[in-house]
PDB file of all heavy atoms in Angstrom:
ATOM      1  N   LEU L 323     -17.975   5.874 -11.563  1.00 98.00           N
ATOM      2  CA  LEU L 323     -18.835   4.688 -11.719  1.00 98.00           C
ATOM      3  C   LEU L 323     -20.245   5.189 -11.986  1.00 98.00           C
ATOM      4  O   LEU L 323     -20.626   6.254 -11.533  1.00 98.00           O
ATOM      5  CB  LEU L 323     -18.806   3.834 -10.449  1.00 98.00           C
ATOM      6  CG  LEU L 323     -17.465   3.343  -9.954  1.00 98.00           C
ATOM      7  CD1 LEU L 323     -17.632   2.625  -8.626  1.00 98.00           C
ATOM      8  CD2 LEU L 323     -16.803   2.412 -10.974  1.00 98.00           C
ATOM      9  N   ASN L 324     -21.061   4.378 -12.684  1.00 98.00           N
ATOM     10  CA  ASN L 324     -22.399   4.813 -13.042  1.00 98.00           C
ATOM     11  C   ASN L 324     -23.490   3.996 -12.361  1.00 98.00           C
ATOM     12  O   ASN L 324     -23.278   2.807 -12.046  1.00 98.00           O
ATOM     13  CB  ASN L 324     -22.596   4.713 -14.558  1.00 98.00           C
ATOM     14  CG  ASN L 324     -22.686   3.250 -15.014  1.00 98.00           C
ATOM     15  OD1 ASN L 324     -21.698   2.531 -14.997  1.00 98.00           O
ATOM     16  ND2 ASN L 324     -23.891   2.806 -15.390  1.00 98.00           N
ATOM     17  N   ILE L 325     -24.606   4.631 -12.165  1.00 98.00           N
ATOM     18  CA  ILE L 325     -25.876   3.955 -11.894  1.00 98.00           C
ATOM     19  C   ILE L 325     -26.731   4.218 -13.119  1.00 98.00           C
ATOM     20  O   ILE L 325     -26.891   5.369 -13.544  1.00 98.00           O
ATOM     21  CB  ILE L 325     -26.600   4.534 -10.649  1.00 98.00           C
ATOM     22  CG1 ILE L 325     -25.726   4.410  -9.403  1.00 98.00           C
ATOM     23  CG2 ILE L 325     -27.966   3.897 -10.454  1.00 98.00           C
ATOM     24  CD1 ILE L 325     -25.599   3.021  -8.847  1.00 98.00           C
ATOM     25  N   HIS L 326     -27.300   3.174 -13.740  1.00 97.00           N
ATOM     26  CA  HIS L 326     -28.051   3.418 -14.993  1.00 97.00           C
ATOM     27  C   HIS L 326     -29.439   3.973 -14.695  1.00 97.00           C
ATOM     28  O   HIS L 326     -29.926   3.916 -13.559  1.00 97.00           O
ATOM     29  CB  HIS L 326     -28.115   2.159 -15.854  1.00 97.00           C
ATOM     30  CG  HIS L 326     -28.839   0.983 -15.261  1.00 97.00           C
ATOM     31  ND1 HIS L 326     -30.157   1.030 -14.849  1.00 97.00           N
ATOM     32  CD2 HIS L 326     -28.421  -0.308 -15.047  1.00 97.00           C
ATOM     33  CE1 HIS L 326     -30.535  -0.136 -14.416  1.00 97.00           C
ATOM     34  NE2 HIS L 326     -29.508  -0.977 -14.503  1.00 97.00           N
ATOM     35  N   LYS L 327     -30.060   4.536 -15.724  1.00 95.00           N
ATOM     36  CA  LYS L 327     -31.411   5.097 -15.564  1.00 95.00           C
ATOM     37  C   LYS L 327     -32.365   3.990 -15.162  1.00 95.00           C
ATOM     38  O   LYS L 327     -32.176   2.820 -15.480  1.00 95.00           O
ATOM     39  CB  LYS L 327     -31.870   5.748 -16.862  1.00 95.00           C
ATOM     40  CG  LYS L 327     -32.125   4.830 -18.017  1.00 95.00           C
ATOM     41  CD  LYS L 327     -32.678   5.635 -19.202  1.00 95.00           C
ATOM     42  CE  LYS L 327     -32.978   4.706 -20.381  1.00 95.00           C
ATOM     43  NZ  LYS L 327     -33.536   5.442 -21.549  1.00 95.00           N
ATOM     44  N   PRO L 329     -32.778   2.656 -12.126  1.00 95.00           N
ATOM     45  CA  PRO L 329     -31.848   1.707 -11.505  1.00 95.00           C
ATOM     46  C   PRO L 329     -32.511   0.536 -10.836  1.00 95.00           C
ATOM     47  O   PRO L 329     -33.635   0.636 -10.306  1.00 95.00           O
ATOM     48  CB  PRO L 329     -31.102   2.566 -10.498  1.00 95.00           C
ATOM     49  CG  PRO L 329     -32.012   3.710 -10.199  1.00 95.00           C
ATOM     50  CD  PRO L 329     -32.741   3.985 -11.487  1.00 95.00           C
ATOM     51  N   SER L 333     -27.613  -2.731 -10.736  1.00 98.00           N
ATOM     52  CA  SER L 333     -26.882  -1.488 -10.993  1.00 98.00           C
ATOM     53  C   SER L 333     -26.348  -0.887  -9.712  1.00 98.00           C
ATOM     54  O   SER L 333     -25.155  -0.531  -9.619  1.00 98.00           O
ATOM     55  CB  SER L 333     -27.827  -0.499 -11.695  1.00 98.00           C
ATOM     56  OG  SER L 333     -27.157   0.731 -11.937  1.00 98.00           O
ATOM     57  N   VAL L 334     -27.185  -0.740  -8.705  1.00 98.00           N
ATOM     58  CA  VAL L 334     -26.770  -0.117  -7.454  1.00 98.00           C
ATOM     59  C   VAL L 334     -25.759  -1.000  -6.717  1.00 98.00           C
ATOM     60  O   VAL L 334     -24.732  -0.530  -6.224  1.00 98.00           O
ATOM     61  CB  VAL L 334     -28.000   0.166  -6.536  1.00 98.00           C
ATOM     62  CG1 VAL L 334     -27.563   0.735  -5.202  1.00 98.00           C
ATOM     63  CG2 VAL L 334     -28.972   1.072  -7.239  1.00 98.00           C
ATOM     64  N   ALA L 337     -22.253  -0.877  -8.521  1.00 98.00           N
ATOM     65  CA  ALA L 337     -21.547   0.381  -8.353  1.00 98.00           C
ATOM     66  C   ALA L 337     -21.002   0.520  -6.932  1.00 98.00           C
ATOM     67  O   ALA L 337     -19.845   0.895  -6.702  1.00 98.00           O
ATOM     68  CB  ALA L 337     -22.426   1.565  -8.691  1.00 98.00           C
ATOM     69  N   CYS L 338     -21.860   0.209  -5.948  1.00 98.00           N
ATOM     70  CA  CYS L 338     -21.466   0.362  -4.550  1.00 98.00           C
ATOM     71  C   CYS L 338     -20.369  -0.644  -4.159  1.00 98.00           C
ATOM     72  O   CYS L 338     -19.432  -0.305  -3.418  1.00 98.00           O
ATOM     73  CB  CYS L 338     -22.667   0.231  -3.651  1.00 98.00           C
ATOM     74  SG  CYS L 338     -23.836   1.623  -3.808  1.00 98.00           S
ATOM     75  N   ILE L 353     -19.693   7.904  -7.628  1.00 98.00           N
ATOM     76  CA  ILE L 353     -20.807   7.174  -8.303  1.00 98.00           C
ATOM     77  C   ILE L 353     -21.827   8.209  -8.768  1.00 98.00           C
ATOM     78  O   ILE L 353     -22.295   9.034  -7.965  1.00 98.00           O
ATOM     79  CB  ILE L 353     -21.488   6.187  -7.339  1.00 98.00           C
ATOM     80  CG1 ILE L 353     -20.480   5.239  -6.702  1.00 98.00           C
ATOM     81  CG2 ILE L 353     -22.579   5.399  -8.069  1.00 98.00           C
ATOM     82  CD1 ILE L 353     -21.082   4.306  -5.669  1.00 98.00           C
ATOM     83  N   VAL L 354     -22.167   8.179 -10.040  1.00 98.00           N
ATOM     84  CA  VAL L 354     -23.110   9.163 -10.601  1.00 98.00           C
ATOM     85  C   VAL L 354     -24.314   8.476 -11.205  1.00 98.00           C
ATOM     86  O   VAL L 354     -24.222   7.344 -11.706  1.00 98.00           O
ATOM     87  CB  VAL L 354     -22.429  10.059 -11.673  1.00 98.00           C
ATOM     88  CG1 VAL L 354     -21.391  10.962 -11.004  1.00 98.00           C
ATOM     89  CG2 VAL L 354     -21.792   9.215 -12.763  1.00 98.00           C
ATOM     90  N   SER L 355     -25.448   9.172 -11.179  1.00 98.00           N
ATOM     91  CA  SER L 355     -26.713   8.640 -11.668  1.00 98.00           C
ATOM     92  C   SER L 355     -27.466   9.725 -12.451  1.00 98.00           C
ATOM     93  O   SER L 355     -27.409  10.901 -12.033  1.00 98.00           O
ATOM     94  CB  SER L 355     -27.573   8.121 -10.528  1.00 98.00           C
ATOM     95  OG  SER L 355     -28.879   7.796 -10.975  1.00 98.00           O
ATOM     96  N   PRO L 356     -28.159   9.390 -13.535  1.00 97.00           N
ATOM     97  CA  PRO L 356     -28.919  10.406 -14.277  1.00 97.00           C
ATOM     98  C   PRO L 356     -30.255  10.763 -13.620  1.00 97.00           C
ATOM     99  O   PRO L 356     -30.936  11.648 -14.106  1.00 97.00           O
ATOM    100  CB  PRO L 356     -29.133   9.735 -15.634  1.00 97.00           C
ATOM    101  CG  PRO L 356     -29.229   8.278 -15.302  1.00 97.00           C
ATOM    102  CD  PRO L 356     -28.234   8.064 -14.204  1.00 97.00           C
ATOM    103  N   VAL L 359     -32.284   7.689  -7.090  1.00 96.00           N
ATOM    104  CA  VAL L 359     -32.217   6.260  -6.816  1.00 96.00           C
ATOM    105  C   VAL L 359     -33.149   5.972  -5.616  1.00 96.00           C
ATOM    106  O   VAL L 359     -33.053   6.584  -4.569  1.00 96.00           O
ATOM    107  CB  VAL L 359     -30.807   5.804  -6.489  1.00 96.00           C
ATOM    108  CG1 VAL L 359     -30.732   4.306  -6.203  1.00 96.00           C
ATOM    109  CG2 VAL L 359     -29.866   6.159  -7.648  1.00 96.00           C
ATOM    110  N   ILE L 372     -24.164   8.279  -3.747  1.00 98.00           N
ATOM    111  CA  ILE L 372     -24.546   8.406  -5.170  1.00 98.00           C
ATOM    112  C   ILE L 372     -24.950   9.845  -5.482  1.00 98.00           C
ATOM    113  O   ILE L 372     -25.759  10.430  -4.770  1.00 98.00           O
ATOM    114  CB  ILE L 372     -25.689   7.420  -5.495  1.00 98.00           C
ATOM    115  CG1 ILE L 372     -25.251   5.985  -5.271  1.00 98.00           C
ATOM    116  CG2 ILE L 372     -26.153   7.621  -6.952  1.00 98.00           C
ATOM    117  CD1 ILE L 372     -26.379   4.978  -5.337  1.00 98.00           C
ATOM    118  N   PHE L 377     -25.704  14.810 -16.935  1.00 97.00           N
ATOM    119  CA  PHE L 377     -24.530  14.398 -17.708  1.00 97.00           C
ATOM    120  C   PHE L 377     -24.163  15.384 -18.791  1.00 97.00           C
ATOM    121  O   PHE L 377     -23.035  15.417 -19.256  1.00 97.00           O
ATOM    122  CB  PHE L 377     -24.802  13.024 -18.331  1.00 97.00           C
ATOM    123  CG  PHE L 377     -24.583  11.858 -17.406  1.00 97.00           C
ATOM    124  CD1 PHE L 377     -25.593  11.443 -16.548  1.00 97.00           C
ATOM    125  CD2 PHE L 377     -23.367  11.202 -17.370  1.00 97.00           C
ATOM    126  CE1 PHE L 377     -25.407  10.386 -15.684  1.00 97.00           C
ATOM    127  CE2 PHE L 377     -23.162  10.154 -16.486  1.00 97.00           C
ATOM    128  CZ  PHE L 377     -24.162   9.732 -15.634  1.00 97.00           C
ATOM    129  N   ARG L 398     -28.302   4.515 -21.593  1.00 95.00           N
ATOM    130  CA  ARG L 398     -28.582   3.895 -20.274  1.00 95.00           C
ATOM    131  C   ARG L 398     -27.732   4.510 -19.181  1.00 95.00           C
ATOM    132  O   ARG L 398     -28.109   4.546 -18.032  1.00 95.00           O
ATOM    133  CB  ARG L 398     -28.298   2.383 -20.331  1.00 95.00           C
ATOM    134  CG  ARG L 398     -29.276   1.590 -21.169  1.00 95.00           C
ATOM    135  CD  ARG L 398     -30.585   1.436 -20.511  1.00 95.00           C
ATOM    136  NE  ARG L 398     -30.571   0.506 -19.366  1.00 95.00           N
ATOM    137  CZ  ARG L 398     -31.506   0.455 -18.441  1.00 95.00           C
ATOM    138  NH1 ARG L 398     -32.506   1.320 -18.435  1.00 95.00           N
ATOM    139  NH2 ARG L 398     -31.423  -0.414 -17.455  1.00 95.00           N
ATOM    140  N   VAL L 399     -26.568   5.058 -19.596  1.00 97.00           N
ATOM    141  CA  VAL L 399     -25.697   5.732 -18.644  1.00 97.00           C
ATOM    142  C   VAL L 399     -26.193   7.121 -18.347  1.00 97.00           C
ATOM    143  O   VAL L 399     -26.347   7.532 -17.191  1.00 97.00           O
ATOM    144  CB  VAL L 399     -24.241   5.795 -19.204  1.00 97.00           C
ATOM    145  CG1 VAL L 399     -23.356   6.527 -18.186  1.00 97.00           C
ATOM    146  CG2 VAL L 399     -23.707   4.423 -19.510  1.00 97.00           C
TER     147      VAL L 399
END
Side-chain angles (χ1 to χ4, degrees):
L323 304 174
N324 71 289
I325 300 289
H326 63 58
K327 68 177 182 179
S333 178
V334 178
C338 291
I353 306 175
V354 292
S355 171
V359 180
I372 299 170
F377 278 86
R398 291 286 287 162
V399 179

